[in-house]
Amino acid sequence: MPSPAERYAAAKARQRRDRSELGRFAASLDFPLDDFQLRACEAVEEGKGVLVAAPTGAGKTIVGEFAVHLALATGRKAFYTTPIKALSNQKYHDLVRRHGVANVGLLTGDASVNGEAPIVVMTTEVLRNMMYAASTTLTGLGFVVMDEVHYLADRFRGAVWEEVIIHLPESVQVVSLSATVSNAEEFGDWLAEVRGNHEVVVSEHRPVPLFQHMMVGTTMFDLFAGNRVNPDLLHAIRNAEQRGRFAEDARRLGGPGGRRGGRNQRDRTAPRGFARGGRPGGGATRAEVVEDLDREGLLPAITFIFSRVGCEAAVGQLLAAGTRLVPEREGDRIRRHVEERVESLADEDLGVLGYWDFLEGLTRGFAAHHAGMLPIFREVVEELFTEGRIRAVFATETLALGINMPARTVVLEKLVKFNGEAHVDITPAEYTQLTGRAGRRGIDVEGHAVVQWTRGMDPMAVGGLASTRTYPLRSSFRPTYNMAVNLVAQVGREVTRELLETSFAQFQADRAVVGLATQLRKNEEGLDGYAEAMHCDLGDFREYARLRRELADAEKDGRKAKAASRRAEAVVSMEKLRVGDVIRIPAGRRAGWAVVVQPARTAKGAPTGPGVVTEDKQFRRLTLVDVPEPVEAMAHVSVPKHFNPKSPKSRRDLATSLRIATPHGLEDAPSRRGRRDVTAAESDHVEHLRRQLRDHPCHECPKREEHARWAERWWRLKRETTGLQRRVEGRTNTVARTFDRICEALEALGYLADGGTVVTERGARLRRLYSEKDLLAAECLRHDVWKRLDAPGLAAAVSALVHEPRHEEADVSPRMPTDDVADAVKAMERLWSQIEDLETEHDLPTTSMPDGGMAWMVHRWASGGRLDDVLRGQDMAAGDFVRRCKQLVDLLDQVGDAATDTELRRTARKAVDAVMRGVVAADRLD
C-alpha cells in the first residue's frame, strides 16, 4: 500500500496533469487513458520525441492525436503521416470530426485538400518530397506523427521513413507509433541518437484479451491447454487425418459423407470436416464457417485469404449458399447508402467492376476487401464494417496494415502466402499483426483468432507462431539517385555522407560490429599467445611455418590439378567411344567389361556419359565415379541397329557377344594411356620450397614438431581473424560507401560534377523525379525519348515506369497502342540496359526493367475509352488499374515539373487530365 507521502505526491501530479494540456485533452475523451498512453503523452508535453510500441488495437494513436491537440493549442503545425493512402483518408476523416474541416488538410499522391491547414494528414513520401523541395508548408511545423513506423522495414518503401526522421529539423518533435517489435529499445536508442531527447514507451498488454483457436472441420478447439498445445486438438487432428482417405472415397462414390445433411443433423462434438463437402484439405466450406461463427456469437469476423480471387470466390460462395447476416431492412438501408456513394461512377462501368455481386453481398452483410478492388469500393466496405453494419469480410493481408477495422474474430484459412516470388510461411510478426485485429476495445470482452486446420498443417507450428514474441525491426534503408542529388544540393557531399552514416541501417550494422570487434580482440590476444609458444631460439619459426604451409599447399594444388586433368581426360575419352566399343570400367560397383550401346551426349547443357551393357547383363549409364581416368576401346562387337536396352533378351545376347570378344589376360592390366606427370614448373616450385625448408635454421630444432603444432594453431586462428576483419570492414560505413558509388555513377552520366560535389543542370531535373526508376526517367528526359508523343502516348510510355506486373501477369511482348509509343518504350529499354551496365560496374543494386504491360490500356483510357473496353481481355483487376493510374498521374506531374521543353511540359499536363477521370478520380475525400 502506498505511503501517505506517495499518495500526496500522486495527488499533486494529478492536479498538475489536470491543469495541463494533457488534462484538457483527457477530459475531452469519453474513456480514461491507460498508463502507457499517459506516459507517452507526458513525454510529448515535456517537449520530447517519443516511440510508442504497443499491440494492434491498444490505442497508441491516442498519443498521435494528443500531439495534434498540442500543436493547435500552441499555435504550431502537426503533420500526421501514414504508409498508405487508405489510412491517410481514414485518419483525415477522424481528425476532421474532432477539429473541424477548416483545421485539417490532406496531401497524398493524387489529392490535395487544404494543404496549408495547421493539421495535415499525408503519406510519408509526400513529406519526404516536401523536405527535399524546401516547401514553405514546413514553416511552423512543430510535430510529425509517424503512424505504422515499423513500415520502415519494408524493402520497397521503408527507406522513406528513415529519410524523414534523419532530415527533419531538430525543432520538430517526432511521435513514432509502432506495432510491438522485440527491439524497440534499439530503435529508440537510434531515435535518441539522431533526434536528441527521446523516450521509448513499450506496452505488451492487450486491452482486450485474445484467445487462440483451431477449427477442425466445423468444431473449434482452444489452441492451448495451459502452456502446451491442447491434447484434444491433437487427438481430433489425428482422427481427421485417419478418416480423410475413407471420406474422400465415400464422396467420390456418392456414399455416406458425400453430401451435407440438414442443420439439425450436425455433430457439434466431432471433427467432421472431411464429411461436409468442405474445402480441399479437410476444412468446412466458407459459408459453414461464417454460419458457425454467427451461431456462436463470434461475428463480426475478418477472414484472411491470401488471394484476391479467393476473396471474391468467398463472396460468391456465401451468395450461392443463401447466407444472410443482417436483416433485410438493414440490407435495404445499406443498398441506398452504397448507391449514393457510387453515383459518380458511370453506369456502363459498374458491370465491369463487379458491382452487382458486390452490392448483393453487402446487403446480406458480407464483402471482400483487397487491393484489386476499386478504392471507393474498399472505402465503402471499411465504413460499413467499422460501423458494425456488415458482419463478415474476406480480406487479403493488406487490410492488416493500419486501417482501423477491428473485429470480434479473425479467421486464417491458411498460414502460407505468396510474397511476389514464392509461397512462404507467414512470420510470427505477420501472424501477430493479422490476429491483432480481433477484439474491439470498449465493445468486446475478448477477441478470438481462429486458424482453420487443413491436412498437413502442424498444430505445434501454429502454437509456435501464436506464442512467438521475437520479431525485430530491421532497416531497409539504402541511398537512391534522387536522394543523392537532393542532399548534395542542400548540404554538400561530405555532410551528406555524415548524415547517411546516422541511418538506422548503419546503426544496426555498427552494433553488429561491436560483437565482431570483441571477438577480434580475443583472437588477437590468442595470436600473441600462440606466437610466444612457437618461439624458437634457432630462428624465426613463423617464417619456417609459413614455408611448411606453402609447401603443403603447393603439393595439394598439384594433386588437385592432376586429378582435375585426369577427370577432363576421362570425359574426353568417354565422348570418343562409339557404339560397339568394348571397354573395361576401371572403378565403382560396375567395374569390369562392358560394351557401349549409346554414345555420350549433352543434355540441358551438361554432358551425359555413354550407355553400356555390362558383363552381368545390366544397362548402365557411366559417370566419372565409374570412369575416374581415361578409357579406350579394347575391342569391338556388333550391336544390332535397333538394339533395345530395356529388353532382357537383347541384353543377354549382347553380354554373350561381349564375353566372346573380351581380350584375355588384360583383366588386371593398367590403362594403356600413360599417366600425365605434374608439369616441370610445378615440380620445380615444390622442389625449391623443399630446399628452402631444409636450409632453414629451425629445421634442425629438436622441438621442431612441438613448435609446428603451435604454429598450426596460430595459422588457423590467423585465418579466422582475417575473415573477421573483412566482415568488420564490410559492415563499417556501408551506407556511405554505397552513396559514394552512386555519386560516381551520377558523375559518369553528368548529373554531378567536380568529384560529385556539384549538382549539374541534369541533376536539377533528377531532383524533381521521385519514382523508383528515377534515373531512368531523368535519362528519358535527357535523350528526348518522349518529345514526339501526344498526351495519350506520353501517358502510355511513362506507364512503363510504374507498371510492375504481378507474377502471373508478366508479358514478354506486350501490346503497344501506336508505333510512336512502341519506339519510345524500346528507347527506354535501351537506356535501362545502359544504366544496368553502369550499376553493375559500380556494384550498385540494379534498376528494374521498364514494363509496357499496361501501355495499351493506359493509351485507350487517356484517349477517352470506356473502362469495360480498356479492361476487356486483360488480366489486370480494376482496382490495380486505378492504383497504377494514380501512380502514373503522380509521375506525369513530376515529368511536367522536371522537363525543360515547354511542349513536353504542356503534354504532361494534358496527360494528367486525360488519365485523372472517371473511376480514377472517384475517391471520396469529403
Side-chain angles (χ1 to χ4, degrees):
M1 183 175 178
S3 67
E6 289 172 333
R7 290 200 300 273
Y8 176 76
K12 295 295 286 183
R14 280 195 300 273
Q15 287 177 358
R16 285 195 303 272
R17 188 186 303 145
D18 290 343
R19 290 194 297 269
S20 68
E21 283 301 332
L22 176 55
R24 283 186 278 276
F25 174 74
S28 69
L29 303 174
D30 53 6
F31 54 86
L33 293 176
D34 292 340
D35 286 344
F36 87 92
Q37 293 169 329
L38 282 171
R39 282 191 291 127
C41 290
E42 285 169 353
V44 173
E45 192 165 24
E46 290 167 8
K48 299 177 182 178
V50 64
L51 166 65
V52 185
T56 301
K60 52 185 174 285
T61 55
I62 284 292
V63 183
E65 290 174 11
F66 174 65
V68 168
H69 169 92
L70 200 56
L72 288 175
T74 56
R76 289 178 284 173
K77 285 185 179 180
F79 288 172
Y80 197 111
T81 71
T82 71
I84 55 175
K85 180 178 174 295
L87 187 53
S88 292
N89 286 350
Q90 190 175 66
K91 184 52 64 176
Y92 169 75
H93 292 303
D94 291 345
L95 293 174
V96 164
R97 280 191 290 271
R98 184 173 182 84
H99 300 290
V101 69
N103 286 323
V104 186
L106 175 69
L107 294 174
T108 61
D110 56 273
S112 176
V113 178
N114 200 14
E116 296 299 324
I119 307 165
V120 185
V121 183
M122 61 185 68
T123 51
T124 315
E125 281 88 350
V126 169
L127 177 55
R128 186 271 312 272
N129 299 352
M130 288 170 61
M131 288 164 47
Y132 284 156
S135 170
T136 56
T137 305
L138 295 167
T139 304
L141 180 62
F143 300 89
V144 168
V145 180
M146 304 199 76
D147 205 351
E148 306 285 333
V149 73
H150 53 272
Y151 206 81
L152 67 78
D154 181 79
R155 60 186 178 134
F156 298 113
R157 297 171 55 217
V160 177
W161 275 252
E162 288 188 54
E163 286 183 74
V164 169
I165 290 169
I166 292 169
H167 301 136
L168 274 173
E170 289 183 18
S171 60
V172 177
Q173 286 177 248
V174 177
V175 177
S176 306
L177 310 178
S178 170
T180 307
V181 292
S182 55
N183 63 334
E185 287 76 15
E186 178 188 41
F187 187 44
D189 289 345
W190 172 70
L191 286 168
E193 188 170 291
V194 296
R195 301 294 313 164
N197 198 6
H198 227 84
E199 190 157 321
V200 178
V201 177
V202 178
S203 173
E204 296 189 3
H205 172 69
R206 276 185 56 98
V208 180
L210 178 65
F211 292 88
Q212 308 275 353
H213 312 278
M214 281 191 78
M215 181 175 278
V216 184
T218 56
T219 304
M220 195 156 67
F221 295 87
D222 289 342
L223 178 57
F224 296 109
N227 293 322
R228 59 175 183 158
V229 173
N230 187 352
D232 292 341
L233 169 64
L234 299 176
H235 179 70
I237 288 175
R238 279 195 298 270
N239 286 345
E241 291 273 18
Q242 291 168 1
R243 295 164 54 193
R245 187 176 299 278
F246 167 77
E248 283 182 351
D249 292 343
R251 271 203 306 273
R252 234 180 355 254
L253 298 171
R259 186 181 298 272
R260 182 186 176 195
R263 293 267 289 262
N264 58 350
Q265 297 174 7
R266 299 174 66 251
D267 178 1
R268 299 294 302 170
T269 61
R272 298 185 57 200
F274 287 119
R276 300 287 300 279
R279 297 184 302 113
T285 66
R286 286 159 176 156
E288 289 171 344
V289 170
V290 170
E291 288 169 6
D292 288 342
L293 294 175
D294 191 20
R295 188 177 298 104
E296 299 293 337
L298 296 179
L299 294 182
I302 300 171
T303 300
F304 284 108
I305 304 172
F306 301 117
S307 157
R308 299 175 180 186
V309 173
C311 293
E312 296 293 347
V315 171
Q317 289 158 14
L318 264 65
L319 288 174
T323 303
R324 176 174 284 281
L325 304 176
V326 297
E328 287 192 26
R329 182 175 297 176
E330 175 61 16
D332 291 338
R333 285 195 290 267
I334 290 172
R335 183 184 299 274
R336 288 193 293 272
H337 173 77
V338 176
E339 287 171 348
E340 288 174 10
R341 289 297 311 276
V342 302
E343 62 184 0
S344 62
L345 300 179
D347 290 342
E348 65 267 17
D349 289 342
L350 294 178
V352 74
L353 295 171
Y355 170 74
W356 305 112
D357 281 350
F358 170 73
L359 179 61
E360 185 63 22
L362 286 173
T363 61
R364 291 172 171 269
F366 49 85
H369 185 289
H370 57 78
M373 294 170 64
L374 201 64
I376 196 170
F377 285 10
R378 287 202 307 274
E379 290 170 18
V380 167
V381 173
E382 291 160 14
E383 291 167 6
L384 293 174
F385 192 79
T386 303
E387 293 168 5
R389 299 177 66 184
I390 58 174
R391 311 282 289 162
V393 168
F394 299 93
T396 56
E397 74 273 19
T398 52
L399 183 144
L401 182 67
I403 300 170
N404 184 25
M405 279 182 63
R408 180 168 296 166
T409 304
V410 164
V411 180
L412 298 179
E413 279 200 355
K414 54 184 178 179
L415 301 176
V416 176
K417 69 170 188 174
F418 186 72
N419 68 358
E421 297 172 356
H423 286 90
V424 296
D425 295 334
I426 66 171
T427 65
E430 289 168 332
Y431 182 89
T432 300
Q433 187 153 27
L434 293 167
T435 56
R437 294 281 157 214
R440 297 165 297 173
R441 187 170 188 174
I443 301 174
D444 300 321
V445 294
E446 59 190 33
H448 299 270
V450 181
V451 176
Q452 285 185 260
W453 175 80
T454 56
R455 204 174 318 153
M457 184 182 288
D458 181 4
M460 306 301 286
V462 179
L465 269 180
S467 58
T468 297
R469 290 293 176 266
T470 304
Y471 17 85
L473 190 62
R474 296 287 177 227
S475 172
S476 62
F477 181 82
R478 66 177 179 86
T480 65
Y481 300 111
N482 173 274
M483 186 194 305
V485 291
N486 270 298
L487 290 177
V488 169
Q490 289 180 343
V491 297
R493 181 165 175 175
E494 285 308 310
V495 175
T496 297
R497 273 186 115 260
E498 294 169 8
L499 278 172
L500 294 179
E501 286 183 343
T502 65
S503 68
F504 188 43
Q506 190 61 59
F507 184 82
Q508 290 189 310
D510 290 344
R511 285 210 163 180
V513 164
V514 170
L516 294 176
T518 302
Q519 185 61 44
L520 200 56
R521 283 194 299 274
K522 289 180 180 177
N523 283 13
E524 286 167 349
E525 291 169 5
L527 286 171
D528 292 340
Y530 289 158
E532 186 177 339
M534 70 178 178
H535 174 73
C536 178
D537 294 334
L538 298 180
D540 185 350
F541 202 88
R542 191 181 302 181
E543 182 187 21
Y544 181 74
R546 180 186 60 77
L547 286 170
R548 282 178 65 135
R549 176 153 295 282
E550 196 174 334
L551 175 61
D553 289 344
E555 290 174 336
K556 185 178 178 182
D557 290 343
R559 287 192 297 271
K560 280 184 178 178
K562 187 176 177 181
S565 175
R566 299 292 288 173
R567 285 195 298 272
E569 290 179 5
V571 170
V572 171
S573 72
M574 285 194 285
E575 290 174 349
K576 290 181 177 179
L577 295 175
R578 296 293 174 260
V579 173
D581 285 347
V582 175
I583 61 170
R584 183 163 182 79
I585 303 173
R589 289 181 300 168
R590 302 163 190 165
W593 293 103
V595 57
V596 177
V597 295
Q598 293 178 354
R601 65 176 189 270
T602 299
K604 296 182 179 178
T608 304
V612 300
V613 171
T614 60
E615 292 175 286
D616 57 357
K617 305 182 273 298
Q618 297 299 312
F619 173 77
R620 296 286 185 266
R621 192 165 289 283
L622 299 181
T623 68
L624 285 172
V625 175
D626 310 303
V627 186
E629 59 187 44
V631 294
E632 59 183 29
M634 311 293 288
H636 192 85
V637 298
S638 178
V639 177
K641 187 173 182 180
H642 299 293
F643 177 78
N644 180 7
K646 294 182 180 179
S647 165
K649 182 179 183 305
S650 298
R651 294 199 302 271
R652 278 197 306 271
D653 293 345
L654 191 59
T656 302
S657 301
L658 173 64
R659 282 194 295 274
I660 295 170
T662 299
H664 297 288
L666 294 177
E667 285 79 1
D668 298 318
S671 171
R672 295 182 187 179
R673 291 176 177 265
R675 294 181 179 271
R676 186 182 75 87
D677 293 324
V678 287
T679 66
E682 291 168 344
S683 180
D684 289 347
H685 179 58
V686 170
E687 195 55 45
H688 175 67
L689 289 172
R690 285 173 179 159
R691 276 197 306 272
Q692 282 186 294
L693 203 64
R694 286 193 298 269
D695 295 342
H696 197 281
C698 292
H699 194 65
E700 302 300 327
C701 178
K703 295 183 178 180
R704 183 183 69 192
E705 293 310 310
E706 181 183 339
H707 293 329
R709 284 193 292 274
W710 285 111
E712 181 60 32
R713 294 174 190 172
W714 187 91
W715 278 107
R716 279 202 300 268
L717 190 59
K718 182 65 176 174
R719 280 199 304 270
E720 181 185 320
T721 304
T722 302
L724 281 174
Q725 287 171 333
R726 279 198 296 267
R727 289 173 65 189
V728 168
E729 289 165 3
R731 294 191 182 191
T732 304
N733 301 325
T734 49
V735 176
R737 287 204 305 271
T738 302
F739 168 72
D740 286 339
R741 294 196 298 273
I742 284 175
C743 288
E744 289 165 9
L746 289 173
E747 190 171 12
L749 291 175
Y751 290 88
L752 294 176
D754 295 344
T757 60
V758 175
V759 177
T760 65
E761 186 180 340
R762 292 176 192 170
R765 287 198 296 269
L766 178 55
R767 289 187 65 187
R768 299 186 182 97
L769 298 167
Y770 300 99
S771 159
E772 187 180 336
K773 300 180 178 67
D774 47 11
L775 183 56
L776 179 54
E779 284 289 275
C780 289
L781 287 175
R782 172 189 167 194
H783 291 278
D784 292 330
V785 170
W786 302 321
K787 197 169 183 178
R788 295 189 308 162
L789 300 171
D790 59 6
L794 179 62
V798 174
S799 74
L801 299 180
V802 299
H803 179 51
E804 291 176 0
R806 288 163 61 86
H807 183 71
E808 66 276 10
E809 294 171 356
D811 187 350
V812 294
S813 183
R815 181 180 180 185
M816 290 292 131
T818 68
D819 290 342
D820 285 346
V821 172
D823 290 343
V825 172
K826 285 177 184 174
M828 293 164 69
E829 290 172 354
R830 285 194 296 272
L831 289 173
W832 165 79
S833 180
Q834 294 167 15
I835 291 171
E836 187 184 44
D837 290 343
L838 184 72
E839 289 168 333
T840 302
E841 179 186 337
H842 287 85
D843 193 24
L844 292 169
T846 55
T847 301
S848 58
M849 185 178 180
D851 190 300
M854 64 180 290
W856 186 89
M857 288 181 279
V858 167
H859 190 275
R860 196 155 193 174
W861 178 254
S863 299
R866 290 174 17 163
L867 185 64
D868 58 344
D869 292 333
V870 169
L871 296 180
R872 186 179 297 123
Q874 304 296 326
D875 293 328
M876 185 175 290
D880 288 328
F881 176 74
V882 170
R883 189 172 71 257
R884 293 295 184 209
C885 281
K886 292 183 182 234
Q887 293 170 344
L888 173 60
V889 165
D890 192 23
L891 183 52
L892 286 169
D893 261 332
Q894 295 169 26
V895 168
D897 288 340
T900 55
D901 182 80
T902 306
E903 187 59 34
L904 181 58
R905 293 167 71 97
R906 191 178 298 116
T907 304
R909 303 285 177 249
K910 290 178 181 176
V912 168
D913 294 337
V915 175
M916 186 59 87
R917 65 178 185 86
V919 292
V920 178
D923 278 351
R924 173 174 172 168
L925 300 174
D926 54 352

